[in-house]
Amino acid sequence: MRVFVTGASGFIGSAVVRELLTAGHEVTGLARGDASAAAVEALGARPHRGDLDDLPSLRRGAEAADGVVHLANKHDWTDPAASNRAERAAVEAFLDVLEGSGRPFVLAAGLALPGLGRASTEHDRSDAHGPDAPRGGAENLALERAGRGVRVSSARFAPTVHGEGDHGFVALLAEHARRTGAVPVAGEGANRWPAVHRDDAAALVRLALESAPAGTVAHAAAEEGVPVRDVAEALAQRLDLPVRSVTPEQLAQDLPFVGAFLSADVPASSALTRELLGWAPSGPTLLEDVRAGFYDR
């Protein structure tokens, strides 16, 4: 299969590209500049110049492909509205190209559904609708188009996709701890986060691309819920720092955007995903990666 991948040079995207190439697919990766293009080429894929704001370039990439994997996101936490608009516009562009073709479209989505009082499942739907919603409501937009000849699947990634080189939430928490002299947790830190190693996440994306029925929601969560206190204590041990309990409000203030997520209790099941796709995650756990020192610097 000829696959067009956005975010191909990123932390998750590079693992997805390697996974697809190993499985025998041809990969073209979106590249914003020379450095991204070189990284895509080094992986063994072909670079395609453009970015999320270059909708004609996105359409050309999709038109030449047998399937699309959309992983890129601006992640501009200083201007989330701009990130949301860009995400929705990009997904709309891909759906317009793929409509009626039966080709697969896998898009990245967030796996954070707070307030359920239980582990979320693949049957739970996001309440993000419309261009002003988180991620531009792109997941619901795509799933609504699944009945119009696009084999849409949503890959909901755990809040922590971990591994060597991770620069996400745990890395930001570690950076904050080094700067302030303590690892903060909200209250007792009993809230739980799902987690998945990036190689396992990449395998899920490939399986969804190859075989997921239209309208599939897949949960990339190898661990249903790691207590945030356990993560903080493992970080504290590595960094030789104390763990400090703060209020959720203080955590959100000290770590804008990230802090609100760190306070959330968002366990998630992947049982249906494993059954449907035959996904069998086998990578290291989050705590194993923390203890391996991947977040020390």
Side-chain angles (χ1 to χ4, degrees):
M1 192 183 301
R2 296 169 300 167
V3 187
F4 180 49
V5 179
T6 71
S9 62
F11 175 68
I12 299 174
S14 58
V16 169
V17 170
R18 286 192 294 268
E19 175 78 16
L20 293 173
L21 291 172
T22 299
H25 300 292
E26 298 178 20
V27 179
T28 298
L30 185 69
R32 289 180 296 174
D34 292 342
S36 295
V40 169
E41 285 185 325
L43 291 168
R46 186 178 69 179
H48 174 94
R49 293 302 184 104
D51 58 39
L52 291 187
D53 294 319
D54 186 352
L55 299 183
S57 176
L58 298 184
R59 293 188 184 100
R60 289 193 299 271
E63 287 165 354
D66 300 314
V68 174
V69 174
H70 175 46
L71 304 173
N73 190 285
K74 285 187 171 183
H75 292 303
D76 184 352
W77 295 336
T78 64
D79 189 1
S83 295
N84 295 341
R85 289 192 299 269
E87 174 70 358
R88 187 176 184 88
V91 169
E92 284 182 322
F94 287 135
L95 292 171
D96 288 345
V97 170
L98 297 173
E99 186 168 322
S101 70
R103 287 179 282 173
F105 175 53
V106 183
L107 79 156
L111 182 49
L113 301 174
L116 295 179
R118 57 169 173 79
S120 64
T121 76
E122 296 85 344
H123 291 314
D124 291 310
R125 288 295 178 257
S126 166
D127 60 2
H129 293 271
D132 297 326
R135 299 184 78 97
E139 180 187 65
N140 281 315
L141 173 68
L143 292 173
E144 289 162 3
R145 299 278 283 272
R148 293 164 62 175
V150 186
R151 188 159 61 81
V152 170
S153 55
S154 174
R156 288 179 176 171
F157 293 119
T160 293
V161 181
H162 57 89
E164 188 171 8
D166 176 15
H167 52 268
F169 287 171
V170 175
L172 293 171
L173 177 62
E175 178 187 4
H176 175 79
R178 288 191 295 270
R179 188 172 64 251
T180 62
V183 183
V185 295
E188 296 301 314
N191 57 302
R192 297 155 294 172
W193 269 28
V196 63
H197 191 273
R198 70 166 175 166
D199 290 343
D200 289 325
L204 182 145
V205 170
R206 175 184 60 80
L207 290 167
L209 179 81
E210 293 173 343
S211 63
T216 292
V217 172
H219 278 191
E223 297 181 87
E224 182 172 299
V226 184
V228 173
R229 178 82 188 192
D230 292 353
V231 179
E233 289 177 346
L235 273 176
Q237 185 175 22
R238 289 294 312 183
L239 301 176
D240 194 23
L241 294 172
V243 175
R244 179 180 297 152
S245 177
V246 299
T247 65
E249 294 77 15
Q250 185 65 49
L251 188 57
Q253 179 178 325
D254 292 343
L255 274 166
F257 185 79
V258 177
F261 280 96
L262 283 168
S263 302
D265 185 49
V266 287
S269 169
S270 60
L272 298 177
T273 297
R274 297 176 194 233
E275 180 180 358
L276 177 66
L277 300 179
W279 183 54
S282 59
T285 67
L286 173 56
L287 293 183
E288 286 172 342
D289 274 355
V290 172
R291 291 168 181 150
F294 294 156
Y295 301 94
D296 289 3
R297 291 288 182 269

